[in-house]
Amino acid sequence: MNRKLIMTCVSLVAALALGVTAAIAGTVRGGADPGVTDNSILLGGTAPLTGPASQYASVARGAEAFFKYLNATKGGVNGRKITYKYADDAYNPAQSVPVTRQLVEQDKVFAVFNSLGTAHNVAVRPYLNAMKVPQLFVASGATTWGRDYSQYPYTIGFQPSYQAEGWVYGKYLARTAPGAKIAVLFQNDDYGKDLLGGLKRGLQRSKVKVIAAQPYEVTSPDVASQIAKLKASGADTLAIFATPTFAIQAYQFANKLGWKPKHVINNAVASASTTMQIASSAGQNKLVNSTISIQFLKDPTDPKWKNDPAMKLYRSIMKKYAPSANASDPLHVYGMASAWTVSDALKKAGKNLTRESLRKTLDTFTSAGNPFMLPGIAVKTAGKDHYPVEQMLLQKWQNNSWNSFGGLWGYRAS
């Protein structure tokens, strides 16, 4: 081979090497992690698009609508547009695992975001942390997300913990219903048990007592026998810690039995758009009216926020980017609030975005000014405190809508 040919070959190899380097740089500039390019960030998650909790699909759709708005109006975050790919797990933890693995290993997502369900996120948490894939703003209030942060540093929750929520109900009942006897229907997993535990904690040193508690399984056909047993206890207050289908059944079976207790219902049910309307049907308005729950987000059905600029923005986003969805469904607001927060976290993690830079950002994180959250509530973590939201308002169901009242309740996990 002559010298001229050798030099030509060397030049070609060099050119190819530069081309490959440029292509790689164009793909992963800003970090060597999957899912990040010069102009995009790929987030993934699971949602119950089908199955017994399909009402909660609105959480994912609300987040998706916000990302589309953010991409169109702001160019995404730090020059990168956000793609959000969510897959159906039918509210079945056994399906959450393979679907999540596919998102990580085949779709190459940068992070898993907004996946819904307590058992579902618990099931995938060890895998995601072993892979050092951020598990962002889990759509569940299980206490474990904050309590076990040191063991699973790539996982962070979002909403108030169920323990905090239950504590607020307990404190409220202790102050306003001295001597009340409470019966509790609860889902037989960390979701329901956290709420029940928080309720009992809030009732400590008061004369209000939990005198009966009945669990149900997510695979149960109904909760008729549980409601019958709770009525037989002599309780005058029923706390429903469930998912929408079983909560509606609880109201209906209580009505059939002629039982008319006061009601407390957890926020995950209260926020589902049709739960209270269905529960109010068939002449049950009086039974459902005055039900108490909590809120930490602006509710599009609450008259208080009718002319609020954030709610006007919310409705305009829904109209343009999710036109077939029900804008009166508060779960869409949840999705938008979570998407706003993760966008803020991605921005603060910097232009040189990596999974590790994001994890460090969330280790000590303050995100204020979320337009979809109630005034005065910020998302904050610091030191050992990794419960991002610890404040909430009480709300009461009356005249076919939720109406918030009183001041903010604050809770700090011990």
Side-chain angles (χ1 to χ4, degrees), residues 332-356:
H332 289 120
V333 181
Y334 180 106
M336 284 201 193
S338 185
W340 191 98
T341 303
V342 80
S343 301
D344 193 35
L346 291 167
K347 182 178 180 180
K348 290 177 178 177
K351 293 184 178 181
N352 187 31
L353 180 64
T354 65
R355 288 167 171 169
E356 189 61 20

Side-chain angles (χ1 to χ4, degrees), residues 3 10 16 22 29 57 135 151 156-157 163 168 173 179 183 190 228 286 296 314 357 397 401 404:
R3 177 180 176 83
V10 170
L16 286 170
R29 188 177 298 159
Q135 188 178 14
Q151 184 179 356
I156 186 169
Q163 184 179 91
V168 168
L173 291 169
D190 286 349
K286 290 184 179 179
F296 63 102
Y314 161 76
S357 73
W397 180 261
S401 69
S404 55

Side-chain angles (χ1 to χ4, degrees), residues 100-405:
T100 300
R101 290 182 70 98
Q102 180 176 325
L103 288 167
V104 172
E105 296 172 19
Q106 296 181 33
D107 297 309
K108 306 294 183 183
V109 299
F110 171 69
V112 170
F113 161 71
N114 199 40
S115 289
L116 189 137
T118 297
H120 317 74
N121 279 286
V122 167
V124 301
R125 180 172 58 175
Y127 165 74
L128 292 173
N129 276 262
M131 297 291 287
K132 297 186 177 181
V133 176
Q135 188 178 14
L136 303 174
F137 303 119
V138 169
S140 155
T143 306
T144 183
W145 314 131
R147 182 190 63 215
D148 300 321
Y149 173 80
S150 59
Q151 184 179 356
Y152 301 105
Y154 288 87
T155 300
I156 186 169
F158 180 61
Q159 67 198 70
S161 72
Y162 297 138
Q163 184 179 91
E165 181 179 351
W167 177 86
V168 168
Y169 299 139
K171 286 294 183 184
Y172 173 76
L173 291 169
R175 293 179 187 180
T176 62
K181 300 177 182 178
I182 305 172
V184 182
L185 175 73
F186 68 99
Q187 187 164 296
N188 194 23
D189 58 14
D190 286 349
Y191 168 53
K193 292 175 183 178
D194 271 1
L195 283 157
L196 176 57
L199 174 68
K200 290 180 176 179
R201 188 172 182 176
L203 293 173
Q204 287 177 353
R205 295 182 294 278
S206 80
K207 294 182 179 180
V208 182
K209 304 296 179 185
V210 173
I211 64 169
Q214 284 289 315
Y216 75 88
E217 305 297 331
V218 294
T219 54
S220 300
D222 61 55
V223 291
S225 64
Q226 288 91 336
I227 294 300
K229 291 175 183 177
L230 293 174
K231 177 183 183 294
S233 72
D236 54 27
T237 302
L238 173 61
I240 303 171
F241 299 150
T243 51
T245 298
F246 294 106
I248 292 167
Q249 289 180 6
Y251 281 110
Q252 292 173 337
F253 287 127
N255 188 52
K256 288 179 180 178
L257 293 172
W259 187 28
K260 302 186 185 301
K262 297 177 182 178
H263 286 91
V264 171
I265 195 166
N266 59 295
N267 176 256
V269 177
S271 295
S273 62
T274 59
T275 302
M276 302 306 290
Q277 284 89 350
I278 295 173
S280 298
S281 64
Q284 296 180 149
N285 272 315
K286 290 184 179 179
L287 181 67
V288 176
N289 264 344
S290 299
T291 295
I292 297 296
S293 189
I294 63 99
Q295 186 56 275
F296 63 102
L297 303 169
K298 294 175 180 176
D299 186 335
T301 69
D302 189 335
K304 178 185 294 186
W305 307 115
K306 181 178 179 180
N307 296 314
D308 179 68
M311 283 295 93
K312 290 181 178 179
L313 173 63
Y314 161 76
R315 291 188 181 279
S316 70
I317 292 173
M318 292 297 294
K319 184 177 181 179
K320 186 167 185 178
Y321 299 106
S324 63
N326 176 14
S328 295
D329 184 347
L331 291 174
H332 289 120
V333 181
Y334 180 106
M336 284 201 193
S338 185
W340 191 98
T341 303
V342 80
S343 301
D344 193 35
L346 291 167
K347 182 178 180 180
K348 290 177 178 177
K351 293 184 178 181
N352 187 31
L353 180 64
T354 65
R355 288 167 171 169
E356 189 61 20
S357 73
L358 180 58
R359 185 198 66 77
K360 289 180 179 178
T361 295
L362 291 171
D363 195 44
T364 304
F365 179 62
T366 299
S367 181
N370 190 320
F372 308 112
M373 301 186 80
L374 292 174
I377 295 181
V379 178
K380 185 175 182 179
T381 64
K384 295 181 179 180
D385 184 353
H386 279 78
Y387 296 90
V389 178
E390 297 180 292
Q391 294 171 296
M392 63 206 86
L393 277 181
L394 282 164
Q395 59 180 356
K396 182 179 291 186
W397 180 261
Q398 285 187 316
N399 301 319
N400 292 316
S401 69
W402 286 109
N403 297 268
S404 55
F405 64 93

